Amino acid sequence: MPSDSVLVRLEKVNKHFGQQHVLRDIDLEVRGGETVVLIGASGSGKSTLCRCVNRLETIDSGRITLGGEPLPEEGRELARLRARVGMVFQSFNLFSHLRVIDNLCLAPVRVRGLGRDQAADRARELLARVGLADKAAAYPGQLSGGQQQRVAIARALAMDPEVLLFDEPTSALDPEMVGEVLDVMASLADDGMTMLVVTHEMGFARRVADRVVFLDGGRVEETGTPDEFFDAPRSARAAEFLSKVLSH
């Protein structure tokens, strides 16, 4: 169950890429333990919004806070922020020359100062959690896409983040591998992980989200529970979007 405390807050956030105004006065809150799913057409600003939360993209105006603190500008404080905000990308971004377990241990040892043995024990726990206990010694190239993405989720969890960001985590996968990744994400939601998820997987949004946020043209067009949004969208644009994506 989501808590009453707001973990991530965006207030009047704007972002341009050149002349393109990609985020327009975005107001959004994510509470502790809440799963918020961002949906919308390609180019609506979903991924950019997600990347702004851990400052992979800088904003032009407005304010983003994590646990009530503004996002730091640079340096060590920014590295500390990224330890608090895990991110899982569309492309898995694993280090191909490192074994799976070493991919998981690298940041906890270097950034958080964990001992190697402690980091390795935690890595094995997390690999078991995502169903890959037997793959610790494998290299990423020896794994399927779905397995690589589950390793990427375990790697993000290895930093014990306060919130996990997912930027279209299944869009690079073959269809038969999508379910294994979504199942891991659903189990994290059940365990109370705070998650902000960009996805085109409407079934996942309906099943797992506490709240669905629909972006259109860089604006929050509509927000509500999955039942509210999918069964009775309030805006014409959301209804049009759903009629296209749910009719296939």
Side-chain angles (χ1 to χ4, degrees), residues 133-168:
D134 60 335
K135 300 297 183 184
Y139 287 89
Q142 297 172 309
L143 305 180
S144 70
Q147 289 171 330
Q148 289 187 62
Q149 193 61 295
R150 284 187 279 153
V151 170
I153 293 171
R155 180 182 60 178
L157 290 169
M159 293 294 282
D160 290 323
E162 294 169 46
V163 58
L164 265 185
L165 311 175
F166 291 86
D167 186 11
E168 299 194 19

Side-chain angles (χ1 to χ4, degrees), residues 126-218:
L126 291 168
L127 288 172
R129 183 174 185 179
V130 300
L132 294 171
D134 60 335
K135 300 297 183 184
Y139 287 89
Q142 297 172 309
L143 305 180
S144 70
Q147 289 171 330
Q148 289 187 62
Q149 193 61 295
R150 284 187 279 153
V151 170
I153 293 171
R155 180 182 60 178
L157 290 169
M159 293 294 282
D160 290 323
E162 294 169 46
V163 58
L164 265 185
L165 311 175
F166 291 86
D167 186 11
E168 299 194 19
T170 59
S171 62
L173 299 178
D174 292 334
E176 69 268 22
M177 296 173 186
V178 169
E180 66 193 56
V181 173
L182 295 180
D183 286 346
V184 168
M185 293 168 64
S187 75
L188 292 175
D190 288 343
D191 290 346
M193 186 75 214
T194 307
M195 305 198 299
L196 181 63
V197 181
V198 175
T199 187
H200 293 290
E201 300 291 339
M202 297 298 128
F204 173 84
R206 179 152 208 161
R207 181 166 54 101
V208 177
D210 293 299
R211 207 153 34 97
V212 174
V213 176
F214 175 64
L215 265 61
D216 184 52

Side-chain angles (χ1 to χ4, degrees), residues 84-96:
R84 296 171 65 194
V85 182
M87 186 148 187
V88 179
F89 299 88
Q90 183 174 338
S91 53
F92 323 120
N93 288 7
L94 299 173
F95 292 109
S96 60

Side-chain angles (χ1 to χ4, degrees), residues 28-184:
L28 179 66
E29 293 180 350
V30 182
R31 298 182 179 279
E34 187 176 32
T35 298
V36 174
V37 175
L38 299 175
I39 63 175
S42 295
S44 59
K46 308 180 302 295
S47 291
T48 300
L49 189 159
C50 199
R51 291 169 66 86
C52 285
V53 171
N54 75 342
R55 228 176 160 280
L56 284 173
E57 300 286 355
T58 56
I59 61 176
D60 298 328
S61 63
R63 190 166 183 257
I64 303 177
T65 55
L66 177 67
E69 301 172 15
L71 299 193
E73 293 295 317
E74 56 192 15
R76 282 188 186 168
E77 290 303 317
L78 184 55
R80 220 165 271 140
L81 163 82
R82 297 220 172 106
R84 296 171 65 194
V85 182
M87 186 148 187
V88 179
F89 299 88
Q90 183 174 338
S91 53
F92 323 120
N93 288 7
L94 299 173
F95 292 109
S96 60
H97 65 291
L98 295 180
R99 296 178 307 159
V100 163
I101 194 164
D102 297 321
N103 266 279
L104 267 67
C105 290
L106 188 64
V109 170
R110 286 198 180 170
V111 178
R112 296 188 62 217
L114 255 61
R116 168 71 200 188
D117 289 347
Q118 187 182 359
D121 287 346
R122 175 73 173 138
R124 290 189 187 93
E125 277 175 32
L126 291 168
L127 288 172
R129 183 174 185 179
V130 300
L132 294 171
D134 60 335
K135 300 297 183 184
Y139 287 89
Q142 297 172 309
L143 305 180
S144 70
Q147 289 171 330
Q148 289 187 62
Q149 193 61 295
R150 284 187 279 153
V151 170
I153 293 171
R155 180 182 60 178
L157 290 169
M159 293 294 282
D160 290 323
E162 294 169 46
V163 58
L164 265 185
L165 311 175
F166 291 86
D167 186 11
E168 299 194 19
T170 59
S171 62
L173 299 178
D174 292 334
E176 69 268 22
M177 296 173 186
V178 169
E180 66 193 56
V181 173
L182 295 180
D183 286 346
V184 168

Side-chain angles (χ1 to χ4, degrees), residues 213-216 219-223 234-238:
V213 176
F214 175 64
L215 265 61
D216 184 52
R219 299 183 190 278
V220 174
E221 179 76 15
E222 188 164 334
T223 181
R234 295 188 300 275
S235 70
R237 181 67 190 96

